[in-house]
């Protein structure tokens, strides 16, 4: 993540406001500078002075993701060990962050826990950037559910937080319930992955499968400018879609 070095070094020349900017600035130990200071920053040896549009999107995704996860974990008043384990698995297995990346993610998580900003504030800023990328929104909802259901259930506070995310992200009730069933009710897991249900026809399932395979193809995710580590996450999602389709196809015999 090329942007991470710039953040750690403090040699960036752009203004990132809102709760995401506040948490990122605190996590990386410095305040964001105004664009007018670009000329000065560019004079620093080895500094580019600014983030590219893709790097800025990556920073926002990275900061918002771990900030929202922190607020979700805290929703019921305490952060459980199981929740921490799932968040760390997201860091290491899905995003495959190296030691520096993991420590940065943990710093963001800790700062968000202490932040007075609400989950909704982070979610709205996240959505303002990624609202035209429904696959990214869907993946974020998936991770939120995974952490929320770390102990096999959702508390009332966690359920309310996830429903709030769904409202902000414009996720339908049908899509919300299908995703919820993936983590809370294993019987519907494969249908939930394909965003359909047992009443869907074979043709509807095939159509939905083709749609998802196209949306979550790793090459397409990579083209969106997200961190390289996120490609592993996309690969896992791609494999999950394939497995779900294969299981349903075998069960139905088509």
């Amino acid at each position: 993540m090329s942007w991470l070095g710039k953040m750690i070094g403090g040699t960036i020349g752009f203004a990132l406001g809102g709760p995401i900017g506040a948490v990122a600035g605190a996590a990386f130990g410095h305040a964001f500078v105004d664009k007018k200071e670009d000329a000065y920053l560019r004079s620093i040896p080895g500094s580019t002075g600014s983030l590219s549009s893709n790097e800025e999107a990556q920073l926002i995704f990275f900061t918002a993701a771990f900030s929202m996860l922190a607020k979700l974990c805290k929703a019921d008043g305490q952060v459980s060990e199981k929740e921490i384990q799932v968040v760390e698995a997201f860091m290491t297995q899905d995003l495959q962050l190296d030691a520096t990346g993991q420590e940065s993610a943990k710093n963001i998580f800790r700062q968000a826990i202490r932040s007075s900003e609400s989950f909704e504030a982070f979610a709205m800023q996240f959505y303002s950037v990624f609202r035209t990328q429904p696959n990214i929104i869907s993946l974020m909802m998936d991770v939120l559910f995974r952490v929320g259901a770390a102990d096999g259930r959702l508390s009332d506070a966690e359920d309310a937080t996830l429903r709030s995310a769904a409202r902000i992200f414009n996720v339908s009730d049908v899509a919300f319930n299908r995703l919820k069933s993936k983590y809370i009710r294993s019987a519907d897991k494969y249908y939930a992955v394909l965003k359909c249900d047992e009443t869907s026809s074979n043709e509807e399932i095939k159509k939905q499968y083709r749609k998802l395979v196209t949306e979550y193809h790793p090459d397409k995710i990579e083209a969106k400018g997200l961190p390289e580590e996120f490609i592993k996450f996309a690969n896992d999602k791609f494999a999950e879609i394939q497995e779900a389709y294969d299981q349903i196809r075998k069960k139905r015999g088509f």
Side-chain angles (χ1 to χ4, degrees), residues 57-85:
Q58 291 168 17
L59 167 62
I60 292 171
F61 175 86
F62 190 83
T63 305
F66 288 104
S67 294
M68 285 188 286
L69 290 175
K71 289 299 184 182
L72 175 62
C73 288
K74 193 180 177 182
D76 57 4
Q78 60 182 359
V79 180
S80 73
E81 183 60 33
K82 287 184 178 180
E83 289 170 337
I84 292 297
Q85 289 173 357

Side-chain angles (χ1 to χ4, degrees), residues 106-141:
K106 291 175 183 178
N107 284 339
I108 289 169
F109 188 93
R110 286 191 289 265
Q111 290 296 332
I113 286 287
R114 293 193 288 267
S115 171
S116 61
E117 295 286 355
S118 65
F119 173 90
E120 288 76 14
F122 291 108
M124 285 188 287
Q125 192 174 2
F126 174 83
Y127 184 69
S128 72
V129 175
F130 296 105
R131 63 184 179 278
T132 61
Q133 300 183 42
N135 53 342
I136 303 303
I137 296 297
S138 181
L139 287 171
M140 191 67 246
M141 282 298 300

Side-chain angles (χ1 to χ4, degrees), residues 121-225:
F122 291 108
M124 285 188 287
Q125 192 174 2
F126 174 83
Y127 184 69
S128 72
V129 175
F130 296 105
R131 63 184 179 278
T132 61
Q133 300 183 42
N135 53 342
I136 303 303
I137 296 297
S138 181
L139 287 171
M140 191 67 246
M141 282 298 300
D142 190 284
V143 174
L144 288 169
F145 261 105
R146 191 191 312 176
V147 173
D151 59 357
R153 59 178 293 276
L154 291 176
S155 68
D156 290 343
E158 289 167 337
D159 186 76
T161 301
L162 290 169
R163 290 185 184 281
S164 181
R167 287 193 297 272
I168 293 169
F169 297 163
N170 284 323
V171 175
S172 69
D173 289 342
V174 172
F176 180 92
N177 289 329
R178 285 173 180 163
L179 187 55
K180 184 176 180 178
S181 71
K182 175 181 174 182
Y183 291 103
I184 303 302
R185 294 172 54 207
S186 60
D188 296 332
K189 173 182 177 181
Y190 295 124
Y191 287 100
V193 169
L194 294 186
K195 300 181 181 180
C196 55
D197 54 46
E198 294 181 359
T199 65
S200 301
S201 68
N202 290 349
E203 287 306 312
E204 288 172 332
I205 290 172
K206 291 176 184 178
K207 181 178 180 181
Q208 184 66 6
Y209 165 71
R210 290 191 291 267
K211 178 176 180 290
L212 290 173
V213 163
T214 299
E215 288 181 355
Y216 290 100
H217 194 284
D219 290 344
K220 188 166 184 178
I221 296 293
E222 186 173 14
K224 297 297 185 181

